[in-house]
Amino acid sequence: KGASPVPVAHFVEHTDFVSAMDLVSPGQQLVSTSGDGTLALFDLRKRKLVARSEDDADDEMLSVRVMKGGKKVVCGHQSGVLSIFSWGYWNDCSDRFPGHPESVDAMVKVDEDTLLTGSSDGLIRIVSVLPNKALGVVGEHLAENPIEKLCLEPTSSRTLYSISHDNVVKVWSVGELLDEDESDDGEDAKAEEEGSDSEDADRPRPQRKKHKKGKQKGGFKGQKHAERSAFFADL
């Protein structure tokens, strides 16, 4: 009988249960959250702690995702707050978004600006990060049955899977949501191009830059937020 396998590394910096983790760079860095209310960053190659947020807090951290191309780390709390850390500044968060009425138990990244969150009230929400906006409800499990885990289909991100305390695995089609986002991007770009052409025809050359408008960034853009919310409410 062979020897039992042993871990190649272990980290003991958290003082309470470890609730979630996310790889920053595969095989290089890892962030983790804990019931002690702290966020930790580990160097996997050197097998050591790089940084840990301020001393144990009362508000448990239950979920974590790296966003904005590695520039931000978003943590979900027992209080329903999303705390946002700036990369390299680990002592305390740089922003807080108190948009959930109950704990944020699970999160999955749609893109670098957008999250799907699972809460202990049984609702799955879509959230924009910086700018911080609650964009709508994707769906729900039975009321007061916490969402334990969310998973996006890895290749196309068009199917969402969720599990909860109601003993059910649910599968959601979110392709229309992503299609609308891409459509908005195209409409924004077209409007910007048309606006630029109009400026060329109607305004003196020195005034172009003064009146040119840039594209809005962050989350699902445009004036279709209400339509998306209605779509999700019918799922």
Side-chain angles (χ1 to χ4, degrees):
K1 185 177 180 180
S4 299
V6 295
V8 297
H10 66 280
F11 306 104
V12 295
E13 280 73 19
H14 287 302
T15 61
D16 205 336
F17 67 91
V18 180
S19 56
M21 58 185 175
D22 197 14
L23 281 172
V24 183
S25 302
Q28 298 183 30
Q29 292 177 313
L30 173 81
V31 290
S32 64
T33 52
S34 171
D36 61 20
T38 65
L39 168 70
L41 171 67
F42 300 100
D43 187 320
L44 299 178
R45 293 170 298 179
K46 297 180 180 179
R47 302 178 185 178
K48 70 175 186 177
L49 175 72
V50 175
R52 183 171 176 259
S53 60
E54 63 185 6
D55 292 341
D56 296 5
D58 294 332
D59 195 5
E60 295 178 355
M61 288 188 183
L62 303 176
S63 51
V64 62
R65 280 293 177 263
V66 179
M67 305 287 291
K68 301 289 184 178
K71 296 180 180 179
K72 301 291 181 179
V73 179
V74 182
C75 302
H77 290 255
Q78 185 180 36
S79 64
V81 169
L82 294 179
S83 62
I84 303 173
F85 288 79
S86 296
W87 192 266
Y89 300 89
W90 304 108
N91 188 54
D92 200 0
C93 63
S94 58
D95 200 2
R96 290 167 59 85
F97 178 29
H100 295 75
E102 297 185 32
S103 63
V104 184
D105 300 328
M107 294 193 296
V108 66
K109 180 167 68 175
V110 176
D111 55 39
E112 297 299 332
D113 304 315
T114 317
L115 283 170
L116 294 172
T117 65
S119 179
S120 59
D121 62 2
L123 295 180
I124 303 169
R125 296 174 172 86
I126 184 166
V127 175
S128 169
V129 177
L130 297 175
N132 301 331
K133 296 179 182 179
L135 302 181
V137 174
V138 175
E140 64 180 317
H141 284 254
L142 289 177
E144 303 304 321
N145 279 266
I147 306 295
E148 283 294 329
K149 180 74 173 179
L150 297 174
C151 179
L152 270 179
E153 196 277 328
T155 54
S156 66
S157 298
R158 300 177 69 84
T159 304
L160 173 71
Y161 306 88
S162 62
I163 56 176
S164 176
H165 287 196
D166 58 3
N167 307 331
V168 175
V169 177
K170 291 193 175 184
V171 182
W172 312 89
S173 175
V174 294
E176 186 170 338
L177 168 67
L178 302 180
D179 290 342
E180 286 187 2
D181 184 39
E182 292 172 358
S183 175
D184 283 350
D185 287 345
E187 290 173 2
D188 290 346
K190 181 178 179 181
E192 186 175 341
E193 182 179 354
E194 291 176 351
S196 178
D197 291 343
S198 176
E199 289 163 2
D200 289 346
D202 300 337
R203 293 188 175 88
R205 188 178 185 86
Q207 296 183 8
R208 280 184 200 159
K209 288 187 177 180
K210 180 178 179 181
H211 294 277
K212 189 174 181 179
K213 294 183 179 180
K215 181 180 175 182
Q216 181 184 357
K217 298 181 179 179
F220 293 98
K221 301 167 280 295
Q223 298 180 355
K224 296 186 178 181
H225 290 172
E227 297 176 12
R228 293 193 183 96
S229 297
F231 165 72
F232 290 128
D234 294 334
L235 287 179

